[in-house]
Amino acid sequence: MTEDPGLDILFLQTVDSTNRYAVEHFDELSDGTLVWAEEQTAGRGRLGRIWISPKGENLYVSWVVRQLKEPYFLAAAAASLAALETLREAAGGICPLYLKWPNDIYCGQEKIAGILSECVVRETICGMVVGMGINVNSSAETLKRTGIRAASLHTVTGRFFSLKKMIPQLAKQVRSCYIKYLSDPDGLFLRWKEENRLIGRELDFVLPDGRVIRSRFLDIAEDGGAVILDGGKRRVFSCGDIRIVKGSLTDKNTNGK
Ligand code: BTN
């Protein structure tokens, strides 16, 4: 284990999933630990998907949250803001990076990072593990295997990045977002909402059962759900995915093409 000021980083060469590992070892891991793996053989994505995790190419990290506070969705929001800032520092303004509800990080129309939070339950919920998958050095060829439009810092900037140098930057951002989550959850919520640049756009909302609702993304509710119009009625969409509709991104904030 390597020590970062105020934050433990546990490095694993190979693991099936850092989230699975952190949930299983939750009781032994101190609050705020980042479990970082060079490779995942069964990386987990949202909604039962897999997260392709080739050796040494990208960041696969799980953050141990022992001081879990309601509303729980804010822990994942904190992680998405930390990953967003880490990517911004590295990309140096080359591409407009933003959050796509709930916690994907996008560069233009391509996904560059994703967040997966999992509750740790003993008798009740006692904490959370928040996984961050950040595409750093994967090639366009590798990213094609994701089956979605995906980017990495490398495909965006043409450069390669040292994961060893990025980890302390991510750790610093996670720590600062953790402090904000604990001390100023309302401020964190507002910042998270501000970074969700798709609010106001016409988008496809894909429900877990596969039904698709094309609607304007009106707002984010206090419980973290996306507020949309469904058959003329306001509805809070709390689980699912958003698909960007052709022509819905047309400004410098999202770099729509
Ligand atoms: C998504 O589907 O957008 C979420 C992807 C989350 C991937 C990360 S990689 C580190 C951590 N361990 C996992 O198995 N998944 C998360």
Side-chain angles (χ1 to χ4, degrees):
M1 200 183 286
T2 329
E3 197 94 3
D4 204 88
L7 196 81
D8 288 338
I9 298 176
L10 174 66
F11 175 72
L12 305 169
Q13 244 152 12
T14 299
V15 69
D16 50 356
S17 151
T18 55
N19 265 29
R20 202 238 8 107
Y21 181 97
V23 170
E24 188 185 319
H25 296 269
F26 191 78
D27 297 336
E28 302 134 46
L29 296 166
S30 61
D31 186 34
T33 298
L34 295 185
V35 179
W36 167 36
E38 193 176 12
E39 173 187 43
Q40 295 186 121
T41 54
R44 302 175 181 172
R46 280 184 69 237
L47 307 170
R49 293 188 278 245
I50 58 159
W51 189 259
I52 293 172
S53 314
K55 186 172 179 166
E57 291 189 14
N58 304 315
L59 287 172
Y60 320 115
V61 177
S62 295
W63 167 41
V64 173
V65 181
R66 302 186 73 93
Q67 301 178 67
L68 190 61
K69 300 242 185 296
E70 289 196 53
Y72 297 157
F73 76 88
L74 276 185
S80 69
L81 287 168
L84 177 70
E85 283 312 319
T86 306
L87 281 163
R88 280 191 180 142
E89 264 181 47
I94 273 183
C95 177
L97 291 153
Y98 64 94
L99 299 183
K100 170 176 160 289
W101 184 93
N103 286 304
D104 289 347
I105 297 159
Y106 264 63
C107 177
Q109 297 207 38
E110 296 172 331
K111 176 162 168 168
I112 193 162
I115 306 294
L116 175 68
S117 55
E118 300 187 51
C119 285
V120 182
V121 186
R122 298 292 178 253
E123 259 147 41
T124 55
I125 295 179
C126 63
M128 197 178 258
V129 165
V130 189
M132 293 165 262
I134 305 177
N135 295 336
V136 179
N137 291 317
S138 275
S139 64
E141 202 52 38
T142 304
L143 294 169
K144 272 192 201 143
R145 288 170 41 210
T146 62
I148 57 163
R149 289 184 69 171
S152 69
L153 269 177
H154 170 63
T155 61
V156 169
T157 64
R159 291 161 40 212
F160 285 103
F161 294 80
S162 154
L163 301 179
K164 275 198 184 138
K165 284 193 184 147
M166 281 187 74
I167 265 287
Q169 288 162 347
L170 178 65
K172 188 187 82 187
Q173 293 295 344
V174 169
R175 191 177 140 71
S176 128
C177 290
Y178 199 1
I179 292 167
K180 187 131 180 109
Y181 164 75
L182 295 173
S183 61
D184 179 19
D186 293 347
L188 183 84
F189 175 71
L190 287 179
R191 232 197 99 205
W192 178 66
K193 206 163 123 163
E194 237 171 62
E195 295 289 1
N196 265 277
R197 303 271 163 86
L198 297 184
I199 296 174
R201 319 277 171 140
E202 190 80 6
L203 302 160
D204 277 345
F205 291 82
V206 188
L207 297 162
D209 66 7
R211 197 161 70 95
V212 179
I213 303 168
R214 180 155 299 181
S215 167
R216 189 163 295 281
F217 185 2
L218 298 176
D219 198 3
I220 296 185
E222 275 178 15
D223 67 357
V227 183
I228 63 168
L229 278 180
D230 184 11
K233 283 202 181 125
R234 257 171 92 92
R235 165 180 177 167
V236 180
F237 178 80
S238 51
C239 181
D241 231 343
I242 289 180
R243 264 200 317 245
I244 295 168
V245 174
K246 211 166 174 227
S248 66
L249 308 185
T250 47
D251 60 58
K252 65 177 173 40
N253 287 334
T254 47
N255 197 23
K257 279 172 212 139

